[in-house]
Amino acid sequence: MKILHTADLHLGKLLEGRSRLAEQEALLEELCQIAEEEKADLVLLAGDIYDGYNPSAQAEKLFFAFLRQLSAGGQRAVAAIAGNHDQPQRLAAVSPLLSEQSIYLLGSPFDVPPPQPKSEDKVCLLASSRNVLRLYLPLCREEAVIAALPYISEGRLNELFTSGIADESGARRDYQENLAQLLSAAAISFDPTAVNIVMAHLFLRGGLESDSERRLAAGAGEAEQAGGSYGVSAGIFPAGAQYVALGHLHRPQSVPAAMPCVYAGSPLAYSFSEANQSKSVALVEVSPGSQAVYRRRPLQAGYTLTRYPAASYDEALAWCAEPANHNYWVRLEIEAAAPLSGEELARLKEAHPRLLGISLNLPQMKKKELAESLSQLSAAEKFSLFARQSYGQDPPEGLTAMFLALLEDKEEDEYEAR
């Protein structure tokens, strides 16, 4: 059996206000090509399909067209789970329509698609129970049992498993134990004559984070959280699993466990903590009763994120003007003797279509002089200078007025507090 495992598509996600739908469309086309070239029997999408609970119509249209092409008319199975960025009910609502095309979407651990009659020449769902799918795959004529664990919050899990939590350490313990219980119950359906897989969207302790895993919670225990999820150990995965397909962490990596336990990673870089990071998908080969073997296949779609240090403004401008460098989303770091003028900033922005930001390294004396000169400016003038330095143009008049109003409110609050 050949499996393509990916995750964290984040369709519709912006990069500092810039759309990436064109890149994401090219990425999805590349994933379909890889599935064909590698003759994948099954595709696993391990959560965070969208970047928010209310994806745009464009993002949803892109996803459904991708699923239709990926499933190859019902010959290839596609199983997807919700991540912490997805709205579970919205994702699962269309599942009854898509299951006829061998596409199975699970929003919560308790979504149960109805079984289908077996067909020798088409993918079919032979059996389903709480967060378990048993699929027949016609291309390899084998069966796969998938214990699927969509993202589930601590609060929702505690509603399902009432345990009288008294403190933070108890919440962590119960969260892990309850996830283990869900997977243990699912593993009852594992079968030595089938390929047995766990697919989950969670933060596994020992995994390496990136800045783009948006934190949804903070406070006590934050060091063991990512994206609002408590860190859990690989011990929650049942021994009968031959491969664990994970989503949530954007850095491609494997975590030590009794079986291959793999984060596919996001297929596009979504923050500068992923600058110059190679993106890939995981390709798995496995048979009933055997150890799964996986490899990574690099992806070509999408622009790389990079920082470019320039020794001068002229060097930065020359780099931006070079067409070969337009294949990057870039932040410039420029050694400068003085702040750049609005005209200089505009020339940089015009020279590079994916310039996201500029930072200046000024000599210490210049910094002191700059601080003194800034002290002579009004708040509106400072805001305008910031906009020119960051975006190469003055802010709209309405935005400046809004900024000044917020600043006035803050000063009033501080006065009342005194």
Side-chain angles (χ1 to χ4, degrees), residues 332-347:
L332 295 175
E333 299 171 352
I334 304 174
E335 298 289 336
L340 302 182
S341 67
E343 181 182 350
E344 288 173 321
L345 289 168
R347 288 171 65 193

Side-chain angles (χ1 to χ4, degrees), residues 42-240:
L42 169 65
V43 177
L44 302 176
L45 305 175
D48 280 354
I49 305 301
Y50 300 113
D51 191 54
Y53 270 33
N54 294 298
S56 67
Q58 288 175 301
E60 287 192 305
K61 182 179 179 181
L62 197 59
F63 181 53
F64 293 133
F66 166 60
L67 291 177
R68 185 168 56 250
Q69 183 179 354
L70 192 61
S71 67
Q75 292 298 300
R76 179 181 299 113
V78 181
I81 57 175
N84 55 294
H85 285 253
D86 299 312
Q87 213 291 338
Q89 292 80 13
R90 184 167 186 160
L91 190 67
V94 294
S95 187
L97 298 175
L98 295 177
S99 61
E100 294 300 320
Q101 296 296 315
S102 72
I103 301 163
Y104 308 93
L105 307 182
L106 280 72
S108 83
F110 306 103
D111 289 335
V112 182
Q116 302 161 312
K118 184 170 182 178
S119 169
E120 292 296 331
D121 58 358
K122 186 177 180 180
V123 171
C124 53
L125 181 60
L126 299 177
S128 61
S129 57
R130 181 187 290 182
N131 65 303
V132 177
L133 304 174
R134 186 180 185 118
L135 300 171
Y136 170 72
L137 308 177
L139 296 179
C140 62
R141 300 198 176 279
E142 291 180 342
E143 296 178 11
V145 177
I146 305 172
L149 188 62
Y151 172 78
I152 182 168
S153 69
E154 295 83 8
R156 177 65 178 133
L157 197 58
N158 289 336
E159 289 176 15
L160 300 171
F161 295 94
T162 304
S163 54
I165 297 168
D167 56 25
E168 188 74 14
S169 61
R172 267 201 305 278
R173 183 185 62 249
D174 288 342
Y175 182 66
Q176 175 164 305
E177 288 178 357
N178 290 335
L179 288 181
Q181 184 175 333
L182 283 176
L183 289 172
S184 179
I188 295 173
S189 299
F190 282 171
D191 186 336
T193 68
V195 169
N196 301 305
I197 301 163
V198 170
M199 176 165 57
H201 191 91
L202 47 74
F203 174 38
L204 198 61
R205 205 172 294 130
L208 300 176
E209 302 175 53
S210 302
D211 290 344
S212 49
E213 290 108 22
R214 187 187 310 155
R215 289 189 177 275
L216 304 180
E222 186 181 61
E224 294 195 37
Q225 295 180 15
S229 300
Y230 287 113
V232 299
S233 77
I236 68 170
F237 300 125

Side-chain angles (χ1 to χ4, degrees), residues 32 35 59 76 96 110 151 192 239 285 304 359 387 403:
C32 289
R76 179 181 299 113
F110 306 103
Y151 172 78
E285 292 193 33
T304 302
S359 62
F403 168 74

